[in-house]
Amino acid sequence: MFYDILIVGGGHGGAQVAVMLRTQKFAGSIAIIGDEPEFPYERPPLSKEYFAGEKEFERIQLRPAKYWDEREVTMLLGKRVARVDPVAHMVTTDGGETIGYGKLVWATGGSPRMLPIPGGDLPGVQGVRTRADADAMKAASESARQIVVIGGGYIGLEAAAVLNKAGKKVVLLEALDRVLARVAGVDLSRFYEKEHREHGVEIRLGVRVEAIEGVDHVTGVRLADGEVVPADLVIVGIGIVPAVEPLIAAGAEGGNGVLVDKLCKTSLPDIYAIGDCAAHANDYAEGAVIRLESVQNANDQANVVAKGIVGDEAPYHAIPWFWSNQYDLKLQTAGLSTGHDEAVLRGDPVSRSFSVIYLKAGTVIAIDCVNATKDYVQGRMIVTAGLQATAEQLADIERPLKELLSNSL
Ligand code: FAD
């Protein structure tokens, strides 16, 4: 077997490379090799509409099944790449098959980080990454009486919201002193903590989990102070471990992700990496090397690779954006707030429609918008432009954000 383009990983990034290559009239052979059994599907609904039972699986497929056949994209599903030989331009699957490639695109995302503590792998302890995980979580939650969510990031909070809506008792444990600490400012964290508590989710901050209790199934979560929080289902949402082992073993530079340049090329010849597993210097993080875990990043890096392959090379320079749905709250984020030295509240959180704008040395670097789509659309523009503005100007809700932009030109 040989393919001109072999894409490892049939998630958001991998699928988009194939889509974009065909859109760009690439005529060579393309295959996607992925370890999940399904055709590419959207991952965000796994902790939102799909988990809540509001959307069927068919509605979250990235393309109808026949699309791949019609576009002559070979799907090699249920196979995991175990080894890469960059000299022979060949991969080996866990079943021992070898497949040759002209160019390899590594788009493997990551697996849920689990807790390295006693009982951390007991039945009833569930990470969330795949459809299979979401199905298992849904099935287990139906009979569960008390559910503990470990981790107050997006996935943990979204799962807690769905479960709460389904009438389940949920305790959410977060090690830091606020939820969303890795991705947002204090105002937003406090707002979401309050919302969840008002809905009945018990949020406990600054707690350290020491062990998961149970014999052949989880019965509780033991905290550092000895308290045991009863649980018959534990959902773990504490980030991912990027799936880069075979590439690193083959000699690619990296560690926490595989290192790529502006064209998403790894240090190995003819091998690209994109999406959650790609460590790249991001223009919106002042060039710091980071991994972004978002659909935007996976899609935009996929487009950079596909265009590069057809000879239309352009460096990756896309504004990061993200969203999260919890209860009736739609959060939309543009830019990266890490390293901000000022956060400006625009609107009143009590109204449940407001934004937080982040500045660094007077320059707008990011915006979080809660039920405020107009601010989000215009906020993206001011982040992209690197607008210089005062807190007073940004907080003035009578004044559309884009007006500040035209005034600064
Ligand atoms: P993935 O989509 O994870 O695809 C990687 C694929 O590669 C997987 O199928 C994996 O099984 C496979 N694979 C791994 N190793 C191998 C191997 N060796 N051989 C073969 N196949 C392999 N992002 C947002 O922007 N907004 C959201 O609201 C949002 N919500 C999310 C909710 C959940 C529950 C999760 C899990 C993620 C969410 N994300 C969200 C993140 C987003 O889904 C990811 O950023 C995106 O899927 C990354 O795409 P990717 O192609 O890099 O990886």
Side-chain angles (χ1 to χ4, degrees), residues 338-396:
T338 323
H340 68 270
D341 53 28
E342 195 175 2
V344 179
L345 198 53
R346 179 176 165 87
D348 184 357
V350 172
S351 72
R352 304 177 85 247
S353 166
F354 67 101
S355 302
V356 183
I357 301 172
Y358 302 92
L359 296 114
K360 187 169 184 184
T363 299
V364 176
I365 57 168
I367 182 165
D368 283 323
C369 305
V370 177
N371 291 343
T373 299
K374 200 163 150 195
D375 268 5
Y376 170 69
V377 172
Q378 300 184 10
R380 252 173 91 141
M381 291 156 67
I382 65 171
V383 174
T384 308
L387 179 79
Q388 295 259 332
T390 63
E392 204 186 354
Q393 289 171 319
L394 294 166
D396 181 0

Side-chain angles (χ1 to χ4, degrees), residues 9 11-13 35-36 43 48 81 108 129 276 293-295 323:
H12 280 274
D35 61 359
E36 290 185 74
R43 231 166 270 287
K48 308 180 181 72
V81 170
T108 53
R129 185 71 190 180
D276 285 14
E293 294 170 17
S294 70
V295 169
W323 77 95

Side-chain angles (χ1 to χ4, degrees), residues 9-329:
H12 280 274
Q16 180 60 22
V17 173
V19 168
M20 190 47 121
L21 278 170
R22 289 303 187 224
T23 307
Q24 298 286 315
K25 309 279 183 252
F26 177 77
S29 56
I30 306 175
I32 295 181
I33 178 164
D35 61 359
E36 290 185 74
E38 298 90 0
F39 285 119
Y41 60 88
E42 291 173 56
R43 231 166 270 287
L46 298 181
S47 52
K48 308 180 181 72
E49 308 93 313
Y50 180 74
F51 180 40
E54 291 162 5
K55 261 191 188 175
E56 295 293 309
F57 184 69
E58 284 60 40
R59 286 187 55 209
I60 67 168
Q61 289 202 310
L62 283 167
R63 290 287 184 286
K66 64 177 189 202
Y67 172 95
W68 306 106
D69 211 25
E70 285 170 0
R71 301 298 195 286
E72 294 185 42
V73 175
T74 304
M75 286 290 180
L76 305 168
L77 301 177
K79 295 172 196 285
R80 188 171 181 81
V81 170
R83 271 199 312 282
V84 178
D85 182 338
V87 179
H89 279 51
M90 198 110 82
V91 304
T92 307
T93 68
D94 50 3
E97 259 176 291
T98 54
I99 307 170
Y101 62 83
K103 292 188 192 308
L104 188 73
V105 185
W106 196 260
T108 53
S111 45
R113 187 179 295 283
M114 299 307 280
L115 288 160
I117 54 173
D121 55 358
L122 268 176
V125 179
Q126 184 66 54
V128 195
R129 185 71 190 180
T130 61
R131 178 202 187 182
D133 291 338
D135 286 349
M137 179 168 75
K138 195 166 166 45
S141 69
E142 269 152 25
S143 56
R145 273 163 312 159
Q146 172 147 325
I147 300 167
V148 168
V149 174
I150 300 179
Y154 288 121
I155 291 178
L157 290 174
E158 286 173 357
V162 169
L163 291 164
N164 172 270
K165 235 171 123 184
K168 298 291 172 184
K169 177 161 174 35
V170 182
V171 179
L172 186 141
L173 307 175
E174 166 57 54
L176 300 176
D177 61 356
R178 62 187 177 96
V179 300
L180 298 175
R182 276 194 319 141
V183 290
V186 180
D187 289 326
L188 204 80
S189 300
R190 297 297 176 234
F191 173 77
Y192 275 95
E193 286 159 12
K194 185 164 172 281
E195 280 289 331
H196 278 273
R197 283 180 173 138
E198 281 175 5
H199 277 89
V201 174
E202 186 181 333
I203 297 218
R204 300 182 58 175
L205 303 171
V207 286
R208 203 161 58 78
V209 173
E210 207 163 68
I212 310 286
E213 305 242 309
V215 180
D216 39 2
H217 195 274
V218 57
T219 53
V221 176
R222 180 153 41 89
L223 307 180
D225 64 3
E227 181 190 348
V228 176
V229 184
D232 34 23
L233 170 63
V234 174
I235 297 170
V236 183
I238 55 169
I240 64 162
V241 180
V244 293
E245 233 176 65
L247 259 199
I248 300 293
E253 275 177 45
N256 175 20
V258 71
L259 195 64
V260 295
D261 67 10
K262 287 269 177 201
L263 299 172
C264 301
K265 292 179 177 172
T266 69
S267 58
L268 297 174
D270 295 322
I271 304 184
Y272 298 87
I274 59 172
D276 285 14
C277 70
H280 64 279
N282 193 289
D283 294 339
Y284 287 85
E286 296 183 324
V289 174
I290 57 170
R291 285 190 307 100
L292 280 179
E293 294 170 17
S294 70
V295 169
Q296 167 277 316
N297 178 62
N299 281 338
D300 286 332
Q301 290 191 328
N303 293 340
V304 166
V305 168
K307 288 187 173 176
I309 288 172
V310 298
D312 184 12
E313 280 190 350
Y316 181 60
H317 176 72
I319 180 170
W321 56 263
F322 196 86
W323 77 95
S324 176
N325 301 336
Q326 296 164 46
Y327 308 110
D328 57 344
L329 301 167

